């Protein structure tokens, strides 16, 4: 069954023009590709291994009970927020999704160097998140600075879509939140339209995170530092289920 699921993921990804080659099929794997199934295999999962964990993240991966909170970061980048979150919320599990091998390994390595035991990461396409988790398997979700796909003809590739929000809503438990950040005003406006017609309740919105009430306690990500230096405000939303 996992092979069939992986085939479905591969087919759907290709149709979305976001082809995701299987790790094992890369002809000349570099050190980061090898590390995924080597030194970091206990904490990092390739596409095929991750599919076996649907419904088992609490019990099998984290070795915890049914009430253990498991959060998700969609697109970890180089992992600064991921490592920070693992440290400040050490009583919660955190799963990251990342496609690129180098930032994936950087993310899990950074978390482990910080002493985290609650960190796991999977190489997978974020749009197919429902292949990795069962309904009600996730708690809080973080989506920070996804690709804005600025050109209008590319908007169909944006992660925030009505159907995607519906997926996330089903995967989350009640009384949990979805946090979203972007420096793109156009993408933020696009997303807010979809937030409003989703099943989520909007808890807060701001077009300038660092000058808002939500700025206190905010962890400044690597991308945020770049945008701040360029004079771009960060747009922020928090949604509740």
């Amino acid at each position: 069954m996992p092979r069939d699921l992986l085939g479905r993921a591969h087919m759907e990804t290709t149709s979305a023009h976001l082809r995701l080659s299987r790790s094992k099929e890369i002809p000349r794997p570099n050190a980061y590709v090898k590390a995924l199934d080597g030194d970091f295999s206990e904490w990092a999962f390739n596409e095929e291994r991750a599919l076996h964990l649907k419904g088992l993240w609490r019990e099998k991966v984290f070795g915890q009970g049914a009430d253990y909170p498991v959060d998700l970061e969609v697109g970890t980048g180089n992992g600064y927020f991921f490592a920070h979150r693992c440290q400040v919320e050490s009583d919660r599990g955190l799963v990251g999704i990342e496609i690129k091998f180098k930032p994936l390994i950087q993310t899990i390595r950074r978390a482990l160097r910080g002493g985290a035991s609650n960190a796991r990461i999977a190489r997978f396409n974020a749009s197919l998140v429902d292949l990795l988790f069962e309904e009600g398997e996730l708690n809080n979700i973080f989506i920070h600075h996804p690709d804005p796909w600025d050109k209008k003809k590319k908007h169909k590739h944006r992660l925030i879509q009505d159907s995607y929000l519906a997926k996330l809503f089903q995967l989350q438990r009640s009384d949990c939140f979805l946090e979203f950040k972007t420096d793109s005003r156009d993408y933020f406006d696009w997303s807010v339209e979809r937030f409003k017609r989703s099943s989520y309740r909007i808890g807060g919105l701001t077009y300038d995170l660092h000058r808002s009430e939500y700025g206190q306690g905010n962890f400044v990500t690597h991308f945020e530092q770049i945008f701040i230096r360029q004079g771009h405000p960060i747009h922020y939303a928090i949604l509740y289920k």
Side-chain angles (χ1 to χ4, degrees), residues 58 66-68 136-139 171-176 241:
R58 283 180 174 79
D67 295 330
Y68 182 69
E137 193 169 11
L138 292 173
N139 291 85
L171 296 178
Q172 284 184 278
R173 293 186 171 185
S174 298
D175 301 317
C176 296
K241 176 174 179 178

Side-chain angles (χ1 to χ4, degrees), residues 21-27 29 33 36-37 46-47 101 123:
S21 300
R22 301 184 195 183
S23 306
K24 295 180 179 180
E25 295 175 350
I26 295 176
V33 177
L36 179 58
D37 294 314
N46 66 24
E47 315 79 39
F101 290 101
R123 181 176 186 259

Side-chain angles (χ1 to χ4, degrees), residues 84-113:
H84 167 78
R85 184 75 185 177
C86 287
Q87 290 181 355
V88 300
E89 297 284 359
S90 58
D91 58 343
R92 306 175 69 93
L94 182 60
V95 180
I97 293 178
E98 178 58 53
I99 287 181
K100 297 179 180 179
F101 290 101
K102 183 175 181 179
L104 184 152
I105 296 301
Q106 287 177 328
T107 293
I108 196 64
R109 183 170 58 197
R110 183 166 281 114
L112 294 175
R113 283 177 175 174

Side-chain angles (χ1 to χ4, degrees), residues 118-222:
N118 57 333
R120 301 294 188 275
I121 196 166
R123 181 176 186 259
F124 216 77
N125 189 293
S127 65
L128 305 175
V129 65
D130 55 322
L131 297 181
L132 295 183
F133 303 99
E134 283 189 345
E135 182 175 336
E137 193 169 11
L138 292 173
N139 291 85
N140 301 327
I141 298 176
F142 304 90
I143 304 177
H144 295 164
H145 308 290
D147 192 328
W149 294 101
D150 288 324
K151 294 182 179 180
K152 189 172 182 178
K153 64 180 181 179
K154 298 289 187 179
H155 285 182
K156 61 184 178 180
H157 299 316
R158 285 177 166 176
L159 187 62
I160 302 300
Q161 306 283 351
D162 294 318
S163 59
Y164 191 64
L165 291 173
K167 282 183 185 181
L168 297 183
F169 190 85
Q170 290 298 317
L171 296 178
Q172 284 184 278
R173 293 186 171 185
S174 298
D175 301 317
C176 296
F177 66 79
L178 167 61
E179 182 177 88
F180 178 74
K181 295 183 189 180
T182 179
D183 72 304
S184 169
R185 174 63 183 264
D186 180 67
Y187 193 9
F188 191 66
D189 288 339
W190 159 285
S191 300
V192 169
E193 289 180 9
R194 284 146 186 81
F195 295 158
K196 288 180 177 178
R197 61 188 186 227
S198 75
S199 297
Y200 285 102
R201 174 177 63 85
I202 298 178
L205 296 171
T206 179
Y207 285 88
D208 195 344
L209 171 60
H210 300 117
R211 295 184 180 181
S212 75
E213 61 183 297
Y214 307 106
Q216 186 175 5
N218 171 66
F219 179 82
V220 180
T221 69
H222 177 68

Side-chain angles (χ1 to χ4, degrees), residues 15-57:
S15 67
H17 306 289
L18 291 170
R19 185 178 178 85
L20 180 62
S21 300
R22 301 184 195 183
S23 306
K24 295 180 179 180
E25 295 175 350
I26 295 176
R28 291 182 293 276
N30 60 26
Y32 295 105
V33 177
K34 293 177 180 178
L36 179 58
D37 294 314
D39 294 342
F40 294 95
S41 60
E42 183 178 346
W43 304 278
F45 306 96
N46 66 24
E47 315 79 39
E48 196 162 7
R49 292 175 61 216
L51 288 170
H52 288 273
L53 302 175
K54 183 175 181 177
L56 300 174
W57 289 94

